[in-house]
Amino acid sequence: MDSASYEAYRARINHIQAWRGKTNCSPHYHQAVEIVVALTDGVYTRVNNSDRTLSARQICVADCFDIHMSDSHGDDVYIMVIPKELLSNYLAVKRKKHLSTPFIDDLETCEKIIACIEAIINDNPSPLTLLGYVNTIMGLICETCGLSDSANADISVMQAVLDYLEENSDEDINLESLSRRFGYNKYYFSRLFNEFFQFNLNEYLARVRIKNFIAAMRADPTANIVGTALNCGFNSQQTFYRCFTKYYGVSPKEYLSQSQKSE
């Protein structure tokens, strides 16, 4: 699955998604709960302004509307995304509270959660059994992570920033104009943005624009590469090629060719 900055499409998915694969996911949020299970040491995870490098069999949980990202550095992880349609019992318990921590390192709890995820991936359970697994997983998460009344206004601001960047990434956006739009001093806003996302505004915009470029080229493989990149917000051919090669290690043409062969 491709990374996304604001995964609005998740609001339209009403079934559970669970798979084993690699992750290199840019900051994003959605109304589902997302669980990442490290299968090897060294999986980087971040939820809101808390981050941790997971050891094997440790777990990171992004609660509803948390801003989160992950990078397994090429190794496989388990990922499970639970839509709100299957979270009614959890939402009734937590009400307006929030998970006190997104990280689980208690080995016994982790193994119980992993067993449920593996059963969901491998056994194709019935809807009733699937709901039972979800309730078991969320119950273990609540018991281990705890619930608190913590509220962070900066999270809401950063969610709004992600929305704005996703919707306007093809425009000329800079730190000064963006900070002014959200009512911040540009130096404070820059620090806040970097703390949340672990890279600066230009790097984040490049990721969003590359994602949009790839989607546009898949929709129309005959489109002009440079023209499409400029339409996605890059201000020059040189900047586009430099950013694309940095993130994917190959040229856009090579990447698209490899992608078509693998489909």
Side-chain angles (χ1 to χ4, degrees), residues 11 25 27 38 44 61 68 104 127 136 144 150 168 176 182 189 195 214 231 262-263:
C25 189
Y44 177 77
V61 183
H68 54 286
I104 303 176
T136 298
T144 307
S150 61
N168 299 278
E176 188 165 348
F182 287 93
F189 183 84
E195 287 176 354
I214 292 172
N231 289 338
S262 64
E263 290 178 353

Side-chain angles (χ1 to χ4, degrees), residues 120-134:
I120 291 171
I121 293 173
N122 299 322
D123 296 345
N124 191 26
S126 67
L128 188 59
T129 302
L130 180 63
L131 184 59
Y133 283 132
V134 169

